[in-house]
């Protein structure tokens, strides 16, 4: 595979690498990414999943089953058993699954993969997917050389023992971070794994054959894929940061898929285009935009001020102005598409009532606050801050936008001293725990600078993680929705967006992914 002819030819147009015309005629899918992923090693990234989702497989897979919906299906594990106490998971691996290197998948590879993630020398991201595994914390902090809860029973059976039941564990095993590596290939490479085609190896439907830093990546169909060869011959991923350039390349038939998430300013053009209106594909983006509130900083230590802040923000205006109305307002902690989602009490937009609440809280002449802006982040965040700055003025909030570099922001957030900021969170796995626990558990609310120190919430979210009755678990989360958003006014949920793509007519079987990212598996897609 690695000796194939180069698939790209260089031209002088805009300094970009463009595809050979012969490739556009075969079964090559041409897509774009706004920045270089830096690595194919999913343990070393927290957001660049296009390569991992196509090069690797997982024990369990989350497949899109409808707009903004997913189902868990067997992956490398053809089945699994869960003990009565909910703590022991036994995965039965498929026989005959081959890594790209030709090695057969064995249980030891699974144990190696998760042990590698927890090995402090790896400096892996996303280790929280293994938090519940017995012995994970000791391995991660360097006090143990192995993980008690990971065991290869035989070549095709893996046993994972948890410290206590965790209802979301199977969903976590379908997250990109749970991609499985081959010990024999990966271990000798150390931190060089995933940096080039020669150092990348998975079981997935595509094989990485080219990696041109800050320019492109090429993946070829895996002829020996256990589910059967993809109908695509290859995928070419272009690195293109500029929105206008993306549109130009798409319209000149240099790209097959235009992801509007990468170029929101181009959406009105496509919506109004007779040529493209029938090629638009859209579905719910399973993620939530929100405004953080830090209760450790005055005046937000007063719930009346927090409720006033909620009421002072015109969320609908932001959705319409910045995102062309393509989404829906959210009123809870989890957005549409997440398990246990239900309608929550709407947050009222009422500047006058917000002003009254500030007066009741002791600020009749208004109050000075800071809004955090990270200097290196996308302009969409500064745009949102400026809109909110203007909106909340009417209610008495005199907001200054405080610029910070990214490292200072993360340091302040971890220390619990960061001022209010706007951000988004997308579903890594389809479970409410991915949102509730991330933001409002005892550890989550501290490390993200919310400081919503509510013992009732802490206890409920800990309990929900271990509950095995789905209906009772969902009911508890819905109760916590009201507690966190309405009673504690701990944050401002803004909206979830629709995820819109425009595809060339040659693209078939395109399905908008259920999750909150732009990354997806292209295995079932076709091009004519």
């Amino acid at each position: 595979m690695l000796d194939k002819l180069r698939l790209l030819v260089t031209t002088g147009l805009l300094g970009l690498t463009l595809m050979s015309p012969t490739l556009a005629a075969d079964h090559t899918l041409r897509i774009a990414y706004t920045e270089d992923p830096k690595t194919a090693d999913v343990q070393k990234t927290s957001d660049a999943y296009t390569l991992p989702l196509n090069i690797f497989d997982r024990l369990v897979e989350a497949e899109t089953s409808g707009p903004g919906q997913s189902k868990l299906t067997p992956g490398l594990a053809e089945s699994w058993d869960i003990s009565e106490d909910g703590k022991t998971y036994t995965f039965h691996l498929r026989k005959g699954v081959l890594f790209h290197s030709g090695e057969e998948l064995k249980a030891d590879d699974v144990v190696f993969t998760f042990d590698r993630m927890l090995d402090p020398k790896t400096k892996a991201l996303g280790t929280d997917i293994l938090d519940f595994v017995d012995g994970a914390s000791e391995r991660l902090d360097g006090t143990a050389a192995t993980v008690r809860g990971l065991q290869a029973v035989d070549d095709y059976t893996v046993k994972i023992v948890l410290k206590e039941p965790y209802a979301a564990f199977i969903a976590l095993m379908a997250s990109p971070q749970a991609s499985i590596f081959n010990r024999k290939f990966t271990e000798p490479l150390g931190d060089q794994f995933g940096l080039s085609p020669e150092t990348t190896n998975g079981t997935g439907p595509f094989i990485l054959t080219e990696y041109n830093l800050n320019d492109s990546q090429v993946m070829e169909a895996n002829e020996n894929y256990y589910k059967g060869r993809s109908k695509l011959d290859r995928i070419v991923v272009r690195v293109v940061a500029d929105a206008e350039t993306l549109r130009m390349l798409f319209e000149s038939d240099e790209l097959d898929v235009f992801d509007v998430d990468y170029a929101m300013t181009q959406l009105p053009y496509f919506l109004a285009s007779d040529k493209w209106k029938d090629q638009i594909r859209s579905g719910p983006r399973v993620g939530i935009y929100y405004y953080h509130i830090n209760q450790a900083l005055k005046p937000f230590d007063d719930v009346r001020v927090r409720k006033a802040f909620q009421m002072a923000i015109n969320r609908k205006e932001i959705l319409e102005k910045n995102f062309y109305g393509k989404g829906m307002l959210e009123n809870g902690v989890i957005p549409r598409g997440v398990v246990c989602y239900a309608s929550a009490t709407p947050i009222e937009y009422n500047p006058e009532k917000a002003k009254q609440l500030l007066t009741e809280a002791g600020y009749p002449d208004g109050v000075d606050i800071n809004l955090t802006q990270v200097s290196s982040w996308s302009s969409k965040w500064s745009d949102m801050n400026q809109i909110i700055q203007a909106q909340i003025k009417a209610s008495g909030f005199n907001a200054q936008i405080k610029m910070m570099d990214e490292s200072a922001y993360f340091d302040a957030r971890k220390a619990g001293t960061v001022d209010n900021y706007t951000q988004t969170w997308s579903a890594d796995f389809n479970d409410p725990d991915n949102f509730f626990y991330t933001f409002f558990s005892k550890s989550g609310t501290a490390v993200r600078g919310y400081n919503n120190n509510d013992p009732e919430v802490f206890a409920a979210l800990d309990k929900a993680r271990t509950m095995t009755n789905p209906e009772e678990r969902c009911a508890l989360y819905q109760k916590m929705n009201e507690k966190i958003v309405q009673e504690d006014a701990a944050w401002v949920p803004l909206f979830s967006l629709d995820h819109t793509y425009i595809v060339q007519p040659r693209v078939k079987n395109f399905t908008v992914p259920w999750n909150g990212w732009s990354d997806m598996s292209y295995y079932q897609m076709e091009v004519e």
Side-chain angles (χ1 to χ4, degrees):
M1 284 290 186
L2 302 181
D3 293 327
K4 289 194 174 185
L5 294 176
R6 288 185 61 81
L7 303 177
L8 305 177
V9 295
T10 302
T11 80
L13 178 61
L14 297 176
L16 296 173
T17 302
L18 300 184
M19 287 184 53
S20 163
T22 58
L23 283 185
D26 70 5
H27 300 294
T28 296
L29 181 74
R30 303 159 300 169
I31 62 175
Y33 214 67
T34 56
E35 59 184 353
D36 192 279
K38 302 296 189 292
T39 181
D41 183 353
V42 74
Q43 295 184 3
K44 298 293 185 70
T45 184
S46 60
D47 57 5
Y49 296 146
T50 294
L51 294 182
L53 286 171
N54 290 282
I55 294 170
F56 304 106
D57 292 305
R58 291 136 292 277
L59 294 175
V60 182
E61 300 291 352
E63 296 185 353
T64 301
S65 56
Q69 299 175 341
S70 70
K71 62 179 180 180
L72 295 174
T73 62
L76 295 176
E78 60 185 1
S79 64
W80 53 86
D81 306 312
I82 307 172
S83 62
E84 287 188 12
D85 63 5
K87 294 197 293 185
T88 300
Y89 288 73
T90 304
F91 294 93
H92 305 284
L93 303 184
R94 298 180 189 274
K95 296 179 180 178
V97 175
L98 299 179
F99 285 94
H100 302 156
S101 60
E103 294 287 330
E104 186 184 4
L105 168 75
K106 297 290 181 67
D108 179 64
D109 295 311
V110 178
V111 172
F112 163 75
T113 298
F114 295 142
D115 182 75
R116 178 184 187 265
M117 178 179 275
L118 293 169
D119 185 342
K121 292 183 295 185
T122 303
K123 298 180 181 178
L125 305 175
T127 59
D128 53 344
I129 71 166
L130 301 174
D131 277 353
F132 270 71
V133 175
D134 186 28
S137 58
E138 293 92 330
R139 181 66 169 126
L140 193 59
D141 65 22
T143 59
T146 57
V147 183
R148 285 192 303 274
L150 296 176
Q151 180 186 353
V153 178
D154 56 40
D155 280 352
Y156 303 103
T157 309
V158 179
K159 183 179 292 185
I160 302 179
V161 180
L162 310 185
K163 293 176 289 189
E164 55 186 321
Y166 181 38
F169 187 68
I170 290 296
L172 271 178
M173 290 295 96
S175 65
Q177 296 95 327
S179 298
I180 302 302
F181 303 157
N182 173 238
R183 180 193 289 272
K184 182 177 179 181
F185 183 94
T186 307
E187 194 167 38
L189 290 169
D191 60 6
Q192 297 302 299
F193 177 72
L195 297 183
S196 67
E198 294 79 10
T199 60
T200 302
N201 181 33
T203 60
F206 297 96
I207 300 169
L208 184 65
T209 57
E210 286 196 35
Y211 194 138
N212 304 299
L213 190 64
N214 295 319
D215 182 87
S216 60
Q217 305 99 47
V218 178
M219 293 178 281
E220 299 264 353
N222 177 6
E223 304 288 346
N224 298 312
Y225 189 49
Y226 79 92
K227 291 183 182 179
R229 185 193 189 279
S230 171
K231 292 184 179 180
L232 295 176
D233 292 326
R234 66 187 60 79
I235 302 170
V236 177
V237 187
R238 305 271 297 280
V239 179
V240 185
D242 179 71
E244 291 281 353
T245 304
L246 273 172
R247 192 183 91 185
M248 183 207 74
L249 291 172
F250 180 78
E251 291 209 278
S252 62
D253 198 23
E254 292 292 340
L255 292 174
D256 292 308
V257 178
F258 185 95
D259 185 346
V260 175
D261 262 25
Y262 293 154
M264 189 63 68
T265 57
Q266 306 304 305
L267 181 58
Y269 169 82
F270 285 108
L271 292 174
S273 170
D274 288 337
K275 178 180 180 181
W276 295 112
K277 63 183 181 182
D278 292 335
Q279 295 304 119
I280 294 174
R281 307 288 183 264
S282 189
R285 190 181 195 278
V286 186
I288 190 167
Y289 279 73
Y290 61 88
Y291 221 101
H292 154 280
I293 297 175
N294 189 347
Q295 296 181 30
L297 303 180
K298 287 185 175 299
F300 293 101
D301 57 335
D302 190 318
V303 69
R304 293 169 295 188
V305 175
R306 300 197 297 273
K307 287 185 176 180
F309 189 64
Q310 286 180 332
M311 291 181 178
I313 297 175
N314 188 339
R315 302 175 300 151
K316 185 176 181 181
E317 182 183 40
I318 300 169
L319 179 61
E320 290 178 348
K321 276 189 175 182
N322 289 47
F323 302 99
Y324 309 101
K326 297 299 180 181
M328 63 174 280
L329 299 184
E330 297 287 359
N331 296 295
V333 176
I334 56 174
R336 56 181 170 158
V338 176
V339 172
C340 296
Y341 176 81
S343 297
T345 302
I347 296 173
E348 181 184 8
Y349 170 57
N350 193 327
E352 284 302 315
K353 189 173 180 181
K355 196 170 186 178
Q356 293 171 11
L357 284 170
L358 281 187
T359 298
E360 291 174 16
Y363 304 103
D365 300 319
V367 62
D368 295 336
I369 66 169
N370 291 322
L371 306 178
T372 296
Q373 174 66 43
V374 178
S375 56
S376 60
W377 285 1
S378 163
S379 60
K380 74 176 178 180
W381 303 114
S382 58
D383 292 344
M384 288 175 64
N385 266 331
Q386 289 169 24
I387 289 176
I388 290 170
Q389 180 186 39
Q391 288 178 346
I392 64 180
K393 180 73 174 175
S395 300
F397 288 100
N398 305 311
Q400 297 295 318
I401 298 176
K402 182 179 178 182
M403 301 298 294
M404 303 179 74
D405 66 42
E406 190 173 58
S407 61
Y409 159 77
F410 280 116
D411 287 345
R413 197 180 78 171
K414 189 173 182 179
T417 59
V418 70
D419 289 293
N420 299 0
Y421 59 85
T422 183
Q423 250 301 328
T424 184
W425 184 259
S426 298
D428 285 324
F429 58 99
N430 195 351
D431 192 273
D433 186 70
N434 190 206
F435 291 79
F436 277 96
Y437 203 84
T438 295
F439 295 109
F440 297 110
S441 64
K442 188 173 183 178
S443 58
T445 195
V447 77
R448 292 182 179 273
Y450 284 85
N451 297 304
N452 182 54
N453 296 316
D454 188 327
E456 181 183 344
V457 172
F458 295 162
L461 298 188
D462 283 339
K463 179 182 178 181
R465 298 188 109 189
T466 64
M467 294 174 72
T468 56
N469 183 301
E471 291 78 16
E472 292 177 2
R473 188 168 181 253
C474 287
L476 181 57
Y477 278 126
Q478 287 153 14
K479 180 181 177 182
M480 287 303 101
N481 245 347
E482 298 297 304
K483 172 71 171 165
I484 291 167
V485 180
Q486 294 293 328
E487 187 176 330
D488 290 348
W491 78 340
V492 188
L494 297 175
F495 39 75
S496 59
L497 298 182
D498 295 337
H499 200 161
T500 302
Y501 299 82
I502 301 90
V503 300
Q504 296 285 357
R506 68 194 291 262
V507 175
K508 307 301 178 185
N509 294 340
F510 184 90
T511 300
V512 176
W514 72 271
N515 53 48
W517 334 301
S518 292
D519 314 285
M520 68 182 88
S521 168
Y522 292 96
Y523 170 62
Q524 295 187 358
M525 202 171 299
E526 300 178 40
V527 291
E528 292 182 340

